[in-house]
Amino acid sequence: MKSPGARSAERTANSTLTLHLAFLSMGYQVGVWAFSLPVVVDGLQMSVQRLGFVLALMAITSIAGSLVAGRLAATRGPSKLMAWSLVWSGLGYAVMSHLGSFVTFSVLAGLTGFGLGLLDVAANVRGAAVEAEQARTLLPRLHALFSLAAAVGALTAFVMTGDQSLIVAFLVAGVSCIVTGVLVIVRKGDLAASDPAAAADDVENGSSWTDDLRFMRKTAIAFAFVLVCCAFTLDATLEGFSALFIRQLPFQGAAQSAIGLAALYLAGATGRACASLVIKRFGEWRTVLVGQAVATLGVIMLVSSPVAGASAVGMLLIGIGMSPIAPIAYSVIGRSHTAADPGRATAYLTAAGYVTFVLAPIIIAFVGRDSVAKAFQLLPVLLVAMAVMTIWFGHQERVAARRAVRPPNEQLDLNES
């Protein structure tokens, strides 16, 4: 009979491969989607306002999916939820390739958004669980794979379709998710890894993340929510409108859009791949603060530099600076809760982020109705808000460290009174 530790190690090993494949599939979808939006606008003769409506609708259904995902992850297990949501979103992308009309595309985008909301929560909950089981930083690496696949998706969409058709690129994106979802379903050992009883067994046998944040839960929650909301707003703006924005610049076109998006995602992949070492050396809040400074420089270059190619450099800097922020936020929210409730907490965090995916397209569509560049000039405000919250979190963390000499049962109450 296997020991509890051996069972835990086997479950973790079985789930690692499918987690990597899930994040790769998710990222590829995003890259295809971000590059193809100008083609959608041209093909369906959409205005910026209509594009904003579609993106907002997709975000609203993603919020619904993420809220449902919290309960499903707690009762059914995040791996099962991840498997079926991969199939759901994959089918949505495959069918969406047949654009039809603005109405049918909007409906399909909304249904796909619901599956993406489920998938986002399930993948991050499962990633945080494996991170806790292995007592090491894992989510930045998973998000690095996501960014790498997004870069490949943007470039593939450009090579496959140019400005003519989306069918091949969307089909490849959809099929990759379906295949990954089926693989997770077939690997029953991985599905068993997310069983709530198995998770409870791990906790009873001493498996825990070494950097516990439950003693400063309120601070950690506020920090994670601000990071995710601001990061998602920036993502929504860049993924939804950057290709359109770059094409409006002098001497820019589809190739420059593809290069800019690829630079954004490749930089994100590089930054996230290195994030574990940086976090280990400097800590989370310092890593976030430096990243925000780099991203601010990139935004300024993107919106103000008239030099040809500056858009790609700006996107590169934004990708590097923002790369560790979402993984750190999800890791913080997971470590600020007990093993019994990280799924629900992650669901609320993801839903809050998707609220910004609703608001951002509406704001961009309103402010940028004459020129998208005007809307892009608001992005530094987001980065300033993130910097203020990061400095506050760092201060609270230092205060908590000075109090660490207190007994463990007292430490848990520092942020609860």
Side-chain angles (χ1 to χ4, degrees):
M1 182 176 180
K2 295 181 179 179
S3 65
R7 291 201 307 271
S8 176
E10 182 178 352
R11 289 195 302 268
T12 300
N14 287 338
S15 63
T16 300
L17 174 61
T18 47
L19 259 178
H20 283 67
L21 290 176
F23 275 86
L24 284 169
S25 300
M26 292 164 60
Y28 187 83
Q29 282 191 105
V30 168
V32 171
W33 174 255
F35 172 78
S36 302
L37 280 174
V39 186
V40 174
V41 171
D42 294 339
L44 300 180
Q45 298 181 342
M46 292 167 55
S47 63
V48 174
Q49 286 75 20
R50 280 194 167 189
L51 174 60
F53 168 79
V54 172
L55 296 177
L57 174 64
M58 204 169 181
I60 290 171
T61 56
S62 295
I63 292 171
S66 62
L67 291 174
V68 171
R71 184 178 297 274
L72 292 177
T75 58
R76 301 295 183 182
S79 283
K80 290 180 181 179
L81 179 61
M82 184 175 71
W84 291 110
S85 57
L86 278 165
V87 174
W88 181 315
S89 60
L91 286 172
Y93 266 78
V95 176
M96 216 190 307
S97 60
H98 305 280
L99 297 178
S101 67
F102 168 72
V103 175
T104 57
F105 183 79
S106 299
V107 172
L108 289 171
L111 292 174
T112 304
F114 185 84
L116 292 174
L118 295 174
L119 178 57
D120 203 342
V121 173
N124 279 292
V125 170
R126 186 58 197 141
V130 174
E131 187 178 65
E133 290 167 10
Q134 297 181 351
R136 65 187 181 91
T137 304
L138 178 64
L139 280 170
R141 184 199 302 174
L142 294 174
H143 283 257
L145 291 175
F146 174 93
S147 298
L148 177 62
V152 173
L155 291 174
T156 302
F158 171 69
V159 171
M160 284 184 174
T161 65
D163 288 334
Q164 303 302 318
S165 172
L166 299 176
I167 294 178
V168 176
F170 270 58
L171 280 175
V172 172
V175 169
S176 68
C177 282
I178 294 171
V179 170
T180 302
V182 171
L183 180 62
V184 178
I185 294 170
V186 170
R187 291 171 62 89
K188 295 181 179 179
D190 182 53
L191 296 178
S194 298
D195 183 76
D201 184 55
D202 287 340
V203 174
E204 291 174 1
N205 286 280
S207 176
S208 64
W209 181 232
T210 56
D211 189 9
D212 195 344
L213 291 175
R214 285 177 293 168
F215 65 93
M216 49 183 294
R217 176 180 294 189
K218 292 180 181 178
T219 300
I221 290 173
F223 178 59
F225 269 72
V226 170
L227 286 190
V228 162
C229 288
C230 291
F232 275 38
T233 300
L234 189 59
D235 284 347
T237 302
L238 294 179
E239 291 173 7
F241 295 93
S242 64
L244 196 61
F245 168 71
I246 292 173
R247 290 189 185 201
Q248 292 180 355
L249 297 175
F251 312 111
Q252 307 290 302
Q256 285 75 20
S257 296
I259 293 171
L261 286 167
L264 175 71
Y265 294 132
L266 285 173
T270 302
R272 286 167 173 173
C274 301
S276 298
L277 295 175
V278 177
I279 292 170
K280 184 177 180 180
R281 176 66 178 84
F282 298 104
E284 288 172 327
W285 73 270
R286 292 184 182 87
T287 301
V288 171
L289 197 60
V290 172
Q292 290 161 0
V294 174
T296 301
L297 179 61
V299 168
I300 293 172
M301 182 171 290
L302 178 66
V303 301
S304 64
S305 178
V307 179
S311 60
V313 177
M315 297 282 271
L316 184 73
L317 293 174
I318 294 171
I320 292 174
M322 297 298 294
S323 60
I325 290 177
I328 286 175
Y330 278 109
S331 181
V332 165
I333 202 71
R335 283 149 42 213
S336 67
H337 288 70
T338 63
D341 60 0
R344 195 162 297 177
T346 302
Y348 292 145
L349 179 65
T350 304
Y354 277 123
V355 168
T356 65
F357 266 93
V358 177
L359 297 178
I362 295 174
I363 295 172
I364 296 296
F366 176 76
V367 177
R369 59 187 181 276
D370 297 321
S371 173
V372 180
K374 293 181 179 179
F376 271 58
Q377 291 170 359
L378 298 175
L379 295 180
V381 177
L382 291 176
L383 294 163
V384 170
M386 293 173 68
V388 171
M389 175 55 72
T390 302
I391 293 171
W392 177 71
F393 177 79
H395 170 71
Q396 294 295 104
E397 193 176 56
R398 290 194 300 271
V399 171
R402 288 197 295 267
R403 297 178 180 177
V405 294
R406 299 177 66 174
N409 61 328
E410 294 182 18
Q411 291 177 27
L412 293 175
D413 295 331
L414 290 180
N415 231 201
E416 300 296 331
S417 58

